[in-house]
C-alpha cells in the first residue's frame, strides 16, 4: 500500500462542489454530479416540513429532534449536537477545538480542509493511493496528529473502510472525526461507528440532506462525548437549526423512515452494480471498486473533454481534479435509476468515440 503525507502546497479549489455543475446553464441537464437521492423529499416528509411552518413565530426548540437522534443511535442526548448540515460541523470543529497538528485523509470531501484552513490551521494531508483502491492505511497517519478527519464511505472514492481500521486511528489526546454523511446509503451500515461510546476522541458526523433530499434545508448532526458536544455547541450561534429542519430531523428518525432509508440503500446498491457493469464494458474506463456509496469514481484519458462532451449530450458529471489526491483524469458519477443509467452509458459510448484520437 502506497500512501504519502503532504501539506496543501498544491492548491485545489476546495470550495468547488457538484452543484456547480448544474447551476445556470446546467439546470436542464440530467444530474450525475450531485449525490442527493432523486425523487426526494418524499411526500410524507414534505408534509411534515410544511406543517412546521405554522410555528415559525416561535424560536426553534431542538429538544425533541435531539432526543430522536439520540434514541436512534442508542445514546444520551448529551452526546448529540444538531447542526445546519455536516458542513457547519466541520466549521465548528475547526474553530472550537484547539488542534495543533490536524490531518485530513484524502481524497475526500474538501470542506473539512477548507474549514481548517479558514480557521488558520496548518493542515497535513494523507493521500491514499489509487493503485490499491484508495484503501486506508492507519499507519500512514502521523503519530503526532491530534485531529484526524476521514470519510466513510468516502466521497468521492465510494470506498467503505473497515471499522477496525478506523478504530486503529483513535487514541487519547486525538480527535478522530469520521464523516458518515453517506453511511445511511450503505445497506445495514456494517462499518458504522455512530453510537459507539467506547472510542476515545471519536466524533461521528451524519447528514440528512443526501438520502432525504434536504440539501436546501441544511440539517445534520454530530455524535461525540458530552464535553466535545458542549464545546462545539458553545461555538454555534443562537438557534442554529431552523424549525422546519428540526421537524425533518425528528421524523427522519422514526422506525418507518429508517426502514425506508434501508430500502432505498438496497435499491441504490443494485443500481450501482448496473452502472459499474456498464462502465466495465468500455476500454480505458476504470471504476474504483468495490464501491459502497451512491456514486462511483472513474478514471479515463481525456476526462475533461469527456465531461464537456457529456454536457452537450445532456449529462452533468462531477470533475475530480478539485479533490486532493486526484487529477484531471477522474470523474465522479452519481448512481441513478436503471433507465437513466442506460441513457448515460449510451451517451458515454458516443462521447468516447468522439474524443478518442
Amino acid at each position: 500500500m502506497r500512501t504519502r503525507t503532504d501539506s496543501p502546497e498544491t492548491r485545489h479549489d476546495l470550495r468547488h462542489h457538484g452543484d456547480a455543475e448544474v447551476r445556470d446553464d446546467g439546470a436542464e441537464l440530467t444530474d450525475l454530479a450531485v449525490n442527493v437521492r432523486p425523487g426526494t423529499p418524499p411526500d410524507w416528509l414534505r408534509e411534515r416540513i410544511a406543517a412546521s411552518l405554522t410555528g415559525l413565530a416561535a424560536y426553534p426548540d431542538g429538544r425533541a429532534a435531539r432526543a430522536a437522534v439520540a434514541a436512534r443511535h442508542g445514546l444520551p442526548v448529551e452526546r448529540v449536537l444538531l447542526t445546519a448540515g455536516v458542513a457547519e460541523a466541520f466549521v465548528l470543529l475547526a474553530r472550537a477545538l484547539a488542534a495543533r497538528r490536524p490531518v485530513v485523509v484524502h481524497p475526500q470531501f474538501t470542506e473539512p480542509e477548507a474549514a481548517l484552513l479558514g480557521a488558520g490551521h496548518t493542515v497535513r494531508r494523507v493521500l491514499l493511493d489509487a493503485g490499491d483502491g484508495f484503501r486506508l492505511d492507519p499507519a500512514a497517519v502521523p503519530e503526532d496528529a491530534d485531529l484526524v478527519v476521514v470519510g466513510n464511505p468516502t466521497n468521492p472514492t465510494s470506498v467503505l473502510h473497515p471499522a477496525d481500521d478506523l478504530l486503529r486511528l483513535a487514541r487519547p489526546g486525538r480527535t478522530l472525526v469520521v464523516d458518515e454523511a453517506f453511511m445511511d446509503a450503505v445497506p445495514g451500515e456494517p462499518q458504522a461507528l455512530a453510537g459507539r461510546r467506547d472510542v476515545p476522541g471519536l466524533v461521528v458526523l451524519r447528514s440528512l440532506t443526501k438520502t432525504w433530499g434536504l440539501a436546501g434545508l441544511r440539517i445534520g448532526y454530530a455524535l461525540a462525548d458530552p464535553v466535545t458536544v458542549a464545546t462545539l455547541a458553545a461555538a454555534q450561534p443562537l438557534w442554529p437549526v431552523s424549525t422546519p429542519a428540526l421537524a425533518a430531523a425528528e421524523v427522519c428518525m422514526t422506525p418507518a423512515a429508517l426502514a425506508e432509508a434501508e430500502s432505498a440503500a438496497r435499491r441504490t446498491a443494485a443500481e450501482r452494480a448496473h452502472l459499474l457493469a456498464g462502465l466495465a464494458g468500455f476500454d480505458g474506463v476504470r471504476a474504483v471498486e468495490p464501491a459502497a456509496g451512491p456514486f462511483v469514481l472513474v478514471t479515463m484519458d481525456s476526462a475533461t473533454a469527456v465531461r464537456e462532451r457529456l454536457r452537450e449530450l445532456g449529462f452533468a458529471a462531477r470533475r475530480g481534479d478539485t479533490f486532493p489526491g486526484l487529477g484531471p483524469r477522474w470523474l465522479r458519477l452519481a448512481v441513478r435509476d436503471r433507465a437513466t443509467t442506460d441513457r448515460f452509458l449510451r451517451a458515454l459510448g458516443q462521447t468516447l468515440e468522439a474524443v478518442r484520437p
Side-chain angles (χ1 to χ4, degrees):
M1 175 180 293
R2 294 182 299 151
T3 59
R4 65 187 189 276
T5 304
D6 202 1
S7 60
E9 297 173 356
T10 301
R11 296 299 173 185
H12 295 76
D13 184 359
L14 301 178
R15 296 293 189 183
H16 180 91
H17 299 295
D19 61 317
E21 309 284 355
V22 290
R23 291 186 193 137
D24 302 327
D25 65 335
E28 301 303 317
L29 299 177
T30 297
D31 181 9
L32 305 182
V34 176
N35 293 322
V36 174
R37 183 164 65 98
T40 54
D43 289 343
W44 57 264
L45 181 51
R46 293 176 189 268
E47 291 167 3
R48 181 65 185 88
I49 293 169
S52 75
L53 299 181
T54 60
L56 292 185
Y59 286 96
D61 182 348
R63 288 177 296 177
R66 191 182 184 196
V69 171
R72 182 257 192 270
H73 293 289
L75 295 171
V77 294
E78 293 80 14
R79 297 184 72 95
V80 176
L81 179 72
L82 302 175
T83 62
V86 168
E88 188 207 5
F90 288 128
V91 172
L92 295 174
L93 288 162
R95 293 179 178 177
L97 300 187
R100 298 187 303 275
R101 295 174 295 277
V103 168
V104 179
V105 179
H106 285 291
Q108 77 149 329
F109 186 51
T110 53
E111 282 303 316
E113 182 172 312
L116 287 163
L117 294 174
H121 295 278
T122 299
V123 179
R124 285 180 292 177
R125 296 171 175 169
V126 170
L127 302 177
L128 305 184
D129 185 65
D132 59 12
F134 298 107
R135 314 311 298 179
L136 175 66
D137 177 8
V141 174
E143 188 63 30
D144 65 348
D146 57 0
L147 174 70
V148 178
V149 185
V150 60
N152 203 38
T154 303
N155 172 22
T157 64
S158 207
V159 171
L160 183 66
H161 302 296
D164 287 345
D165 287 347
L166 295 171
L167 293 174
R168 288 173 57 195
L169 295 174
R171 63 208 58 195
R174 171 185 287 177
T175 300
L176 171 61
V177 181
V178 182
D179 176 9
E180 291 188 353
F182 291 100
M183 188 62 81
D184 61 353
V186 180
E189 302 187 6
Q191 307 302 331
L193 295 181
R196 294 287 295 264
R197 308 189 207 186
D198 59 333
V199 184
L202 177 65
V203 179
V204 174
L205 306 181
R206 287 281 181 120
S207 171
L208 299 178
T209 65
K210 312 300 185 183
T211 288
W212 297 115
L214 299 176
L217 197 60
R218 310 309 308 146
I219 178 64
Y221 53 90
L223 307 173
D225 66 86
V227 172
T228 299
V229 166
T231 300
L232 298 178
Q236 283 184 308
L238 291 173
W239 310 292
V241 181
S242 71
T243 294
L246 292 170
E250 185 177 356
V251 74
C252 286
M253 298 298 114
T254 62
L258 296 177
E260 183 173 324
E262 175 68 12
S263 178
R266 295 187 182 282
R267 289 195 304 273
T268 296
E271 300 295 0
R272 183 180 60 241
H274 181 69
L275 172 59
L276 289 169
L279 292 170
F282 295 112
D283 291 337
V285 177
R286 183 177 66 84
V288 176
E289 294 190 69
F295 48 86
V296 299
L297 183 66
V298 299
T299 182
M300 65 187 77
D301 292 333
S302 305
T304 299
V306 167
R307 184 173 63 86
E308 293 171 353
R309 175 64 175 165
L310 285 170
R311 290 184 71 86
E312 297 174 5
L313 296 177
F315 294 89
R318 170 66 160 92
R319 57 191 281 200
D321 62 320
T322 63
F323 292 101
L326 300 183
R329 299 184 71 252
W330 295 91
L331 296 175
R332 191 191 68 196
L333 305 170
V335 174
R336 300 297 187 232
D337 63 272
R338 187 157 304 201
T340 300
T341 294
D342 287 343
R343 288 194 298 110
F344 165 71
L345 291 171
R346 288 193 293 271
L348 179 60
Q350 297 173 25
T351 297
L352 293 172
E353 288 295 328
V355 303
R356 281 182 178 135

